[in-house]
C-alpha cells in the first residue's frame, strides 16, 4: 500500500509526497525509490490530508499506477485473467514464450515504461540468427515472432482494462508479415472417397472423422464430446460445449470451450447432425451404454462422470496422439491423399463456402470469435467462390454467350 505525507510549505501551500516503493532503473541496473510529488493549496492540514488520500488513490489505481512488468504478468495477468480465459494448451504455450524470452527482456521495466520502441526492438532482436533455442540453425519463423507479439498484446490489453496503463504500446508496433500457407483440403470427390473408406473402420474412429468433416469440430472438441450430455439423437443436435486438452502439468484437462464469440456461452454452439453420421452416432451410444454397464461405477474413469467419444471401455480417454497416429495408418491403408486431420475442418468450411453459405453462418458453425476471423482464414476460398458466382451470373444474363445488339 502506497504511503504519503502532506508537508506545509507556507502561504497556504502543501507538498504532497507519495512513496510507491522502488524499481530497477533500466539504464543503470540500480534500484531507485519511486516517488511522486504534487503541490496544492489547502486551508489546513486536515484538508491537505484529504487531498493526499485522493492523490494516493490516483497514483495506485489510475494511469500513474507503477508496477513492474514481471509482477504484473505473474501476479495479475496470469491468475486473474489468463487462467480464466485461455485454454490450458494456449496458456501453457503463452507461459513458455514468456519465460523463455519475454520476461527476461522486460524484467527491469515497469508497465508504464514499456513503449512501442521497446517492443519493436525486441521483435527485431528475436528475428536475428542464433535466437532459436532448439539447437537448429537459422532464424525463428514468422509465425513464432508474431506469436510473441500476440502474447504481449494479450498482457497489455488486460493492463488497459485494469487501468494500469492508458493505451497498449503494442498498438503502434508494425506487425510481422506472415506468409499465408495454402492449406491442403479435400475436394468433393476426395471427401466422398474418405467417407466411403471410413465405412470399413472401427465405429468410434468412423464417428470422430465424420464429425470433423461434416460438422467442422476441432480435435480437442472431438476428444471432449460426451455421448450422454452433448449428443441429442432425437433432435439431431450436437451441443459443442467442452474440449479436452493436454499439457505436461495437466495430462487430461476437460474444460468449457473458450474460443468463439464472447459472452456467457462463449464458444459453445449447436450443430445439426449430418445424415452421414447420425446412424453411426446412435449405434455408438447404444454400444457404449452396454459396454459401460459391465463395469461397477467405482471402476469407471472418474466414476462415470464422463462418457467420452474417444475412450477405452472403462471411460479412460484415449491418448492425445491416438487420432493422429490412427489417421496416418488409415490414409496409407486406403491410399488417400494425405492432409492433416485438422484440415478436415478446413475441408468442411471450404465445402460450405463453395456451396454459397454466407460467412456469418460459416463463422458460427466453426465457433470463430468473429466473422472477420473466418474471412481472414478462408479469404482465398471466398475469392474463388465469388469468381465462380460472377461467372455463373455472366452466363445467366448473357444471350448465347454474346451481348444482345440494340
Amino acid at each position: 500500500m502506497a504511503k504519503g505525507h502532506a508537508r506545509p510549505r507556507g502561504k497556504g501551500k502543501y507538498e504532497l509526497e507519495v512513496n510507491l516503493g522502488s524499481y530497477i532503473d533500466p539504464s543503470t541496473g540500480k534500484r531507485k525509490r519511486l516517488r511522486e510529488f504534487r503541490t496544492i493549496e489547502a486551508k489546513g492540514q486536515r484538508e491537505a490530508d484529504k487531498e493526499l488520500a485522493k492523490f494516493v488513490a490516483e497514483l495506485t489505481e489510475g494511469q500513474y499506477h507503477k508496477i513492474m512488468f514481471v509482477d504484473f504478468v505473474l501476479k495479475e495477468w496470469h491468475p486473474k485473467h489468463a487462467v480464466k480465459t485461455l485454454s490450458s494448451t494456449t496458456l501453457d504455450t503463452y507461459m513458455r514464450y514468456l519465460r523463455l524470452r519475454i520476461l527476461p527482456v522486460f524484467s527491469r521495466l515497469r508497465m508504464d515504461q514499456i513503449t512501442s520502441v521497446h517492443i519493436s526492438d525486441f521483435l527485431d532482436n528475436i528475428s536475428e540468427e542464433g535466437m532459436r533455442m532448439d539447437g537448429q540453425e537459422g532464424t525463428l519463423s514468422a509465425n513464432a515472432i508474431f506469436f510473441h507479439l500476440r502474447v504481449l498484446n494479450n498482457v497489455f490489453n488486460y493492463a488497459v482494462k485494469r487501468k494500469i496503463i492508458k493505451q497498449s504500446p503494442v498498438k503502434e508496433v508494425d506487425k510481422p508479415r506472415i506468409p499465408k500457407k495454402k492449406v491442403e483440403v479435400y475436394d468433393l470427390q476426395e471427401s466422398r472417397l474418405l467417407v466411403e473408406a471410413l465405412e470399413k473402420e472401427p465405429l468410434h474412429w468412423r464417428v470422430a472423422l465424420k464429425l470433423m468433416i461434416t460438422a467442422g469440430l476441432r480435435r480437442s472438441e472431438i476428444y471432449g464430446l460426451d455421448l450422454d450430455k452433448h449428443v441429442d439423437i432425437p433432435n439431431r443436435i450436437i451441443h459443442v460445449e467442452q474440449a479436452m486438452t493436454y499439457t505436461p502439468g495437466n495430462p487430461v484437462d476437460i474444460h468449457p470451450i473458450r474460443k468463439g464469440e464472447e459472452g456467457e456461452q462463449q464458444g459453445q454452439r449447436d450443430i445439426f447432425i449430418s445424415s452421414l453420421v447420425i446412424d453411426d452416432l446412435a449405434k455408438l451410444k447404444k454400444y457404449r451404454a452396454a459396454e459401460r454397464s459391465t463395469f461397477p461405477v467405482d471402476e469407471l474413469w472418474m466414476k462415470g462422470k464422463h462418457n467420452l467419444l474417444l475412450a477405452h471401455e472403462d471411460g479412460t480417454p484415449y491418448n492425445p496422439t491416438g487420432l493422429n497416429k490412427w489417421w496416418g495408418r488409415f490414409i496409407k491403408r486406403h491410399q488417400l491423399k494425405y492432409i492433416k486431420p485438422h484440415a478436415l475442418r478446413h475441408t468442411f468450411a471450404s465445402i460450405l463456402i463453395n456451396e454459397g453459405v454466407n460467412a456469418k453462418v460459416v463463422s458460427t458453425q466453426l465457433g470463430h470469435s468473429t466473422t472477420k476471423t473466418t474471412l481472414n482464414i478462408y479469404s482465398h476460398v471466398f475469392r474463388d467462390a465469388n469468381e465462380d458466382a460472377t461467372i455463373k451470373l455472366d452466363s445467366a444474363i448473357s444471350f448465347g454467350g454474346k451481348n444482345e445488339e440494340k
Side-chain angles (χ1 to χ4, degrees), residues 198 201-212 219 222-223 277 280 284 288 309-311 318-327 329-330 333 344:
L198 285 171
E201 298 298 325
L203 186 58
H204 58 283
W205 290 124
R206 185 158 78 238
V207 168
L209 272 294
K210 281 186 177 182
L211 286 177
M212 293 181 80
R219 188 185 72 164
I222 291 290
Y223 271 90
V277 70
D280 286 334
L284 183 60
R288 192 60 59 79
L309 167 59
L310 294 179
Y318 279 4
N319 187 286
T321 61
L323 188 148
N324 285 35
K325 289 181 178 179
W326 176 85
W327 174 255
R329 296 193 298 269
F330 166 74
R333 193 158 53 243
L344 293 178

Side-chain angles (χ1 to χ4, degrees), residues 354-381:
N354 286 317
E355 290 299 312
V357 178
N358 71 61
K360 176 60 178 173
V361 174
V362 177
S363 179
T364 301
Q365 289 281 90
L366 292 170
H368 284 162
S369 56
T370 63
T371 305
K372 182 180 178 181
T373 302
T374 310
L375 291 172
N376 285 340
I377 295 174
Y378 301 104
S379 57
H380 63 290
V381 183

Side-chain angles (χ1 to χ4, degrees), residues 297-310:
V297 173
D298 288 344
E299 292 183 14
L300 289 172
W301 183 69
M302 293 189 71
K303 296 186 177 181
K305 181 180 178 181
H306 301 286
N307 182 17
L308 300 175
L309 167 59
L310 294 179

Side-chain angles (χ1 to χ4, degrees), residues 18-30:
V18 177
N19 182 8
L20 295 168
S22 61
Y23 70 99
I24 302 295
D25 187 330
S27 60
T28 64
K30 295 181 179 179

